[in-house]
Amino acid sequence: MNLKQRIFKKENLSRYLDKDGRLAKTLSAGDLIALGIGAVIGTGIFILPGTVAALHSGPSIILSFVVAAIICSTAAMCYAEFSSALPIAGSAYSFGNIVFGEIVGWFLGWALILEYMLAVAAVSTGWSAYFNSFIAGFGFQIPKAISGNFDPAHGTYVNIVAILIVLFISFILSKGVKTSIRINNIIVVVKIAIIFLFLLVGMFYVKPANWHPFYPFGYHGVLKGASLVFFAYLGFDVVSATAAEVKNPRKNMPIGIIGTLLICTVLYILVSVVLTGMTSYTKLDVANPVSYALQLVHLNWVAGIISIGALAGMFTMMVTMIYSSSRLIYSIGRDGLLPKFLGEVSSKHHTPNKSMLFVTIIISFMGGFVSLTQLTNLVNIGTLIAFTFVSIGIIPLRKRKDIPNDGFKVPFYPFLPIVSTLLCILMLTQLSKETWIASIIWFIIGMIIYFTYGIKHSQITKLD
């Protein structure tokens, strides 16, 4: 076959099912929703509603979250159908291999590596900052030299807390899915309890007058706000990476993905309602708007608990993303596009521990030594590219007679997948020129790896 036929050769679903059969199927719909909430609800819920309301939307930030959720829900339904029809590890990477061909699958996998690992590294530095602030309240302090990324000019050499939290989470995950998911579920419950504490206490200080004017920036402000808070929802897609380890995936995967989006939308809206009702939106352009609003009404004790909620939020986000990263790298190693040892599964815990170690080393290095301030927008572009291909991929998926699906299907086919694709492209146009340049460099590196290593070692050449 010529080069074009080779790189667009499609993977065989039965091979994936056979390989992924080594993974333990232990996850329920409830576990999936907890994973999803763990990824989507982080510190953003305590920050975005305030800052976006102050600068762009006013009290109509409530509608901005609704609009963003509607946009996300179109992609979520496409992910739900793929996960129902293809209950395999690897999320959009594996989906792309089966419906588009290997080169597209690799492209999507490379985009997801960027999304998952960079997101965890960035959040690990945020968790470190919150933790340092938290222990300072008890009179403890991390020595400056080991409290920040490598920056000798400012006296910092390594962010030891960022490294240690990544190592701790990876250690938990290496002990098996069941144990790590149980811990994640407990912390998600704590996080939601803290959010409800804010809602229950804050609602008594709501003054309806603070919601007027509701549209201080006009309807344009609602849409601008939606384009900004859209990225608060990113993360539900990591649920699809778990498909090979889910009991009854045709039923539970759609519940996990769509359930995550619905619950997170309700939480974001409720926080927005209470926050903008407690104080004028004009006062919320601060780094910690929720804590600030609580301090204004002399509820400092609740503001202190919110910091624990922020730590819990970032912790569960890292659990989900490290878990998903290891399954992604396992999937690419399984296919030979990265070294084969990454695709091996532990016979004791039935988890891909070698890919977990690989992921841990990279994330620990980035979180401990690299300044990530300018790179976090790359997380968004990796996610949106995956969203775009998964959305339009529903059309070739439906045409595959060899892939029966008696589970969830996207309604209003093919209208909804096309709309989802166009909305994702619209969101991509909102990203900065610098983000696009950095991502192009990343994808050039990815293509070099594929054509110098991956194409030679790929398992796909062994298919009939």
Coordinates of all heavy atoms in Angstrom, one line a residue, residues 111-160:
A111 N -2.7 15.7 20.8 CA -3.4 16.9 21.4 C -3.8 16.6 22.8 O -3.8 17.5 23.7 CB -4.6 17.2 20.5
L112 N -4.3 15.4 23.1 CA -4.7 15.0 24.4 C -3.6 14.9 25.4 O -3.7 15.2 26.6 CB -5.5 13.7 24.4 CG -6.9 13.7 23.7 CD1 -7.5 12.3 23.6 CD2 -7.8 14.7 24.4
I113 N -2.4 14.5 25.0 CA -1.2 14.5 25.8 C -1.0 15.9 26.3 O -0.7 16.1 27.5 CB 0.0 13.9 25.1 CG1 -0.1 12.4 24.9 CG2 1.3 14.2 25.9 CD1 1.0 11.8 24.0
L114 N -1.1 16.8 25.4 CA -0.9 18.2 25.7 C -1.9 18.7 26.8 O -1.6 19.3 27.8 CB -1.0 19.1 24.5 CG -0.8 20.6 24.6 CD1 0.7 20.8 24.8 CD2 -1.2 21.3 23.3
E115 N -3.2 18.3 26.5 CA -4.3 18.7 27.4 C -4.1 18.1 28.8 O -4.1 18.9 29.8 CB -5.6 18.2 26.9 CG -6.8 18.5 27.8 CD -8.0 17.7 27.5 OE1 -8.1 17.1 26.4 OE2 -8.9 17.7 28.3
Y116 N -4.0 16.8 28.9 CA -4.0 16.2 30.2 C -2.7 16.5 31.0 O -2.8 17.0 32.2 CB -4.0 14.6 30.0 CG -5.3 14.1 29.4 CD1 -5.3 12.8 29.0 CD2 -6.4 14.9 29.3 CE1 -6.5 12.2 28.4 CE2 -7.6 14.4 28.7 CZ -7.6 13.0 28.3 OH -8.8 12.5 27.8
M117 N -1.5 16.3 30.5 CA -0.3 16.5 31.3 C -0.1 18.0 31.7 O 0.3 18.3 32.8 CB 0.9 15.9 30.5 CG 0.8 14.4 30.4 SD 2.4 13.8 29.9 CE 1.9 12.1 29.5
L118 N -0.3 18.9 30.7 CA -0.1 20.3 31.0 C -1.1 20.8 32.0 O -0.8 21.6 32.9 CB -0.2 21.1 29.7 CG 0.4 22.5 29.7 CD1 1.8 22.5 30.1 CD2 0.2 23.1 28.4
A119 N -2.3 20.3 32.0 CA -3.4 20.7 32.9 C -3.0 20.2 34.3 O -3.1 21.0 35.3 CB -4.7 20.0 32.5
V120 N -2.5 19.0 34.5 CA -2.1 18.5 35.8 C -0.9 19.3 36.4 O -0.9 19.7 37.5 CB -1.8 17.0 35.8 CG1 -1.4 16.6 37.2 CG2 -3.0 16.2 35.4
A121 N 0.1 19.5 35.5 CA 1.3 20.3 35.9 C 0.9 21.7 36.4 O 1.4 22.1 37.4 CB 2.3 20.3 34.8
A122 N 0.0 22.3 35.6 CA -0.4 23.7 36.0 C -1.1 23.7 37.3 O -0.9 24.5 38.2 CB -1.2 24.3 34.9
V123 N -2.0 22.7 37.5 CA -2.9 22.6 38.7 C -2.0 22.2 39.9 O -2.2 22.7 41.0 CB -4.0 21.6 38.5 CG1 -4.7 21.4 39.9 CG2 -5.0 22.2 37.5
S124 N -1.0 21.4 39.7 CA -0.1 21.0 40.8 C 0.6 22.3 41.4 O 0.8 22.4 42.6 CB 1.0 20.0 40.4 OG 1.9 20.6 39.5
T125 N 1.0 23.2 40.5 CA 1.6 24.5 41.0 C 0.6 25.3 41.8 O 0.9 26.0 42.8 CB 2.3 25.3 39.9 OG1 1.3 25.7 39.0 CG2 3.3 24.5 39.2
G126 N -0.7 25.3 41.3 CA -1.7 26.0 42.0 C -2.0 25.4 43.3 O -2.2 26.1 44.3
W127 N -2.0 24.1 43.4 CA -2.3 23.4 44.6 C -1.2 23.7 45.6 O -1.4 23.9 46.8 CB -2.3 21.9 44.4 CG -3.0 21.1 45.5 CD1 -4.3 20.7 45.6 CD2 -2.3 20.5 46.7 NE1 -4.5 20.0 46.8 CE2 -3.3 19.9 47.4 CE3 -1.0 20.6 47.1 CZ2 -3.0 19.2 48.6 CZ3 -0.7 19.9 48.4 CH2 -1.7 19.3 49.1
S128 N 0.1 23.7 45.1 CA 1.2 24.1 46.0 C 1.0 25.5 46.6 O 1.3 25.7 47.8 CB 2.5 24.0 45.2 OG 3.6 24.5 45.9
A129 N 0.6 26.4 45.8 CA 0.4 27.8 46.3 C -0.6 27.9 47.4 O -0.5 28.5 48.4 CB 0.1 28.7 45.1
Y130 N -1.8 27.2 47.1 CA -2.9 27.2 48.1 C -2.4 26.5 49.4 O -2.7 26.9 50.5 CB -4.1 26.4 47.5 CG -5.1 27.4 46.9 CD1 -5.0 27.8 45.6 CD2 -6.2 27.8 47.7 CE1 -6.0 28.6 45.1 CE2 -7.1 28.7 47.1 CZ -7.0 29.0 45.8 OH -8.0 29.9 45.3
F131 N -1.7 25.4 49.2 CA -1.2 24.6 50.4 C -0.2 25.5 51.2 O -0.3 25.5 52.5 CB -0.5 23.3 49.9 CG 0.0 22.5 51.1 CD1 -0.9 21.7 51.8 CD2 1.4 22.5 51.4 CE1 -0.4 20.9 52.9 CE2 1.8 21.7 52.4 CZ 1.0 20.9 53.2
N132 N 0.7 26.1 50.6 CA 1.6 27.0 51.3 C 0.9 28.1 52.1 O 1.3 28.4 53.2 CB 2.6 27.6 50.3 CG 3.6 26.6 49.7 OD1 3.7 25.5 50.3 ND2 4.2 26.9 48.6
S133 N -0.1 28.7 51.4 CA -0.9 29.7 52.1 C -1.7 29.1 53.3 O -1.8 29.7 54.3 CB -1.9 30.3 51.1 OG -2.8 31.2 51.7
F134 N -2.2 27.9 53.1 CA -3.0 27.2 54.1 C -2.1 27.0 55.4 O -2.5 27.3 56.5 CB -3.6 25.9 53.6 CG -4.4 25.2 54.6 CD1 -5.7 25.6 54.9 CD2 -4.0 24.0 55.1 CE1 -6.4 24.9 55.8 CE2 -4.7 23.3 56.0 CZ -6.0 23.7 56.4
I135 N -0.9 26.4 55.2 CA -0.1 26.1 56.3 C 0.5 27.3 57.0 O 0.9 27.3 58.2 CB 1.0 25.0 56.0 CG1 2.0 25.6 55.0 CG2 0.4 23.7 55.5 CD1 3.2 24.7 54.7
A136 N 0.6 28.4 56.2 CA 1.1 29.7 56.8 C 0.2 30.1 57.9 O 0.7 30.8 58.8 CB 1.3 30.7 55.7
G137 N -1.1 29.8 57.8 CA -2.0 30.2 58.8 C -1.8 29.5 60.1 O -2.2 30.0 61.2
F138 N -1.0 28.4 60.1 CA -0.7 27.7 61.3 C 0.8 27.9 61.7 O 1.3 27.3 62.6 CB -0.9 26.2 61.1 CG -2.3 25.8 60.8 CD1 -2.8 25.7 59.5 CD2 -3.2 25.6 61.8 CE1 -4.1 25.4 59.2 CE2 -4.5 25.3 61.6 CZ -5.0 25.2 60.3
G139 N 1.4 28.9 61.0 CA 2.8 29.3 61.4 C 3.9 28.5 60.7 O 5.1 28.6 61.1
F140 N 3.5 27.7 59.7 CA 4.5 26.9 59.0 C 4.9 27.6 57.7 O 4.0 28.2 57.1 CB 4.0 25.5 58.7 CG 3.7 24.7 60.0 CD1 2.4 24.5 60.4 CD2 4.8 24.1 60.7 CE1 2.2 23.8 61.6 CE2 4.5 23.4 61.9 CZ 3.2 23.2 62.3
Q141 N 6.1 27.3 57.2 CA 6.5 27.9 55.9 C 7.5 27.0 55.2 O 8.4 26.5 55.8 CB 7.1 29.3 56.2 CG 7.3 30.1 54.9 CD 7.8 31.5 55.2 OE1 7.8 31.9 56.3 NE2 8.0 32.3 54.1
I142 N 7.2 26.8 53.9 CA 8.2 26.0 53.1 C 9.3 26.9 52.8 O 9.2 28.1 52.4 CB 7.5 25.6 51.8 CG1 6.2 24.7 52.1 CG2 8.4 24.8 50.9 CD1 6.5 23.3 52.6
P143 N 10.6 26.4 52.9 CA 11.8 27.3 52.5 C 11.6 27.8 51.1 O 11.2 27.0 50.2 CB 12.9 26.3 52.7 CG 12.5 25.3 53.7 CD 11.0 25.1 53.4
K144 N 12.0 29.0 50.9 CA 11.8 29.7 49.6 C 12.4 28.9 48.4 O 11.9 28.8 47.3 CB 12.3 31.1 49.6 CG 12.0 31.9 48.3 CD 12.4 33.3 48.4 CE 12.1 34.0 47.1 NZ 12.6 35.5 47.1
A145 N 13.6 28.4 48.7 CA 14.4 27.7 47.6 C 13.6 26.5 47.0 O 13.8 26.2 45.8 CB 15.7 27.2 48.1
I146 N 12.7 25.9 47.8 CA 12.0 24.7 47.3 C 10.5 25.0 47.2 O 9.7 24.1 47.2 CB 12.3 23.5 48.2 CG1 11.9 23.7 49.6 CG2 13.7 23.0 48.0 CD1 12.0 22.5 50.5
S147 N 10.1 26.3 47.0 CA 8.7 26.6 47.0 C 8.2 27.1 45.6 O 7.1 27.5 45.5 CB 8.4 27.7 48.0 OG 9.1 28.9 47.7
G148 N 9.1 27.1 44.6 CA 8.7 27.6 43.3 C 9.5 27.0 42.2 O 10.5 26.2 42.4
N149 N 9.1 27.2 40.9 CA 9.8 26.6 39.8 C 11.2 27.2 39.7 O 11.6 28.1 40.3 CB 9.0 26.9 38.5 CG 8.9 28.4 38.2 OD1 8.0 29.1 38.7 ND2 9.8 28.9 37.3
F150 N 12.0 26.6 38.8 CA 13.4 26.9 38.7 C 13.6 28.3 38.2 O 13.3 28.7 37.0 CB 14.1 26.0 37.7 CG 15.6 26.1 37.6 CD1 16.4 25.7 38.6 CD2 16.2 26.8 36.6 CE1 17.8 25.8 38.6 CE2 17.6 27.0 36.5 CZ 18.4 26.5 37.5
D151 N 14.0 29.2 39.1 CA 14.1 30.6 38.8 C 15.2 31.2 39.8 O 14.8 31.9 40.8 CB 12.8 31.3 39.0 CG 12.8 32.8 38.6 OD1 13.9 33.2 38.1 OD2 11.8 33.5 38.7
P152 N 16.4 30.9 39.6 CA 17.5 31.3 40.6 C 17.5 32.8 40.8 O 17.9 33.3 41.9 CB 18.8 30.9 39.9 CG 18.4 29.7 39.0 CD 17.0 30.1 38.5
A153 N 17.1 33.6 39.8 CA 17.1 35.1 40.0 C 16.2 35.5 41.1 O 16.4 36.5 41.7 CB 16.7 35.7 38.7
H154 N 15.1 34.7 41.4 CA 14.2 35.0 42.4 C 14.3 34.1 43.6 O 13.5 34.0 44.5 CB 12.8 35.0 41.9 CG 12.5 36.1 41.0 ND1 12.7 36.0 39.6 CD2 12.0 37.4 41.2 CE1 12.3 37.2 39.0 NE2 12.0 38.0 40.0
G155 N 15.4 33.3 43.6 CA 15.7 32.4 44.8 C 14.9 31.1 44.9 O 14.9 30.5 46.0
T156 N 14.3 30.7 43.8 CA 13.6 29.4 43.8 C 14.2 28.4 42.8 O 14.7 28.8 41.8 CB 12.1 29.6 43.5 OG1 12.0 30.2 42.2 CG2 11.4 30.5 44.5
Y157 N 14.2 27.2 43.2 CA 14.9 26.1 42.4 C 14.0 25.0 42.1 O 14.1 24.4 41.0 CB 16.2 25.6 43.1 CG 17.2 26.7 43.3 CD1 17.2 27.5 44.4 CD2 18.2 26.9 42.3 CE1 18.2 28.5 44.5 CE2 19.2 27.9 42.4 CZ 19.1 28.7 43.5 OH 20.1 29.7 43.7
V158 N 13.1 24.6 43.0 CA 12.2 23.5 42.7 C 10.9 23.7 43.5 O 11.0 24.2 44.7 CB 12.8 22.2 43.0 CG1 13.2 22.1 44.5 CG2 11.9 21.0 42.7
N159 N 9.8 23.3 42.9 CA 8.5 23.4 43.7 C 8.2 22.0 44.3 O 7.6 21.2 43.6 CB 7.4 23.8 42.7 CG 6.1 24.2 43.5 OD1 5.8 23.6 44.6 ND2 5.3 25.0 42.9
I160 N 8.8 21.8 45.5 CA 8.7 20.4 46.0 C 7.3 20.0 46.4 O 7.0 18.8 46.2 CB 9.6 20.4 47.3 CG1 9.9 18.9 47.7 CG2 9.0 21.2 48.5 CD1 10.7 18.2 46.8

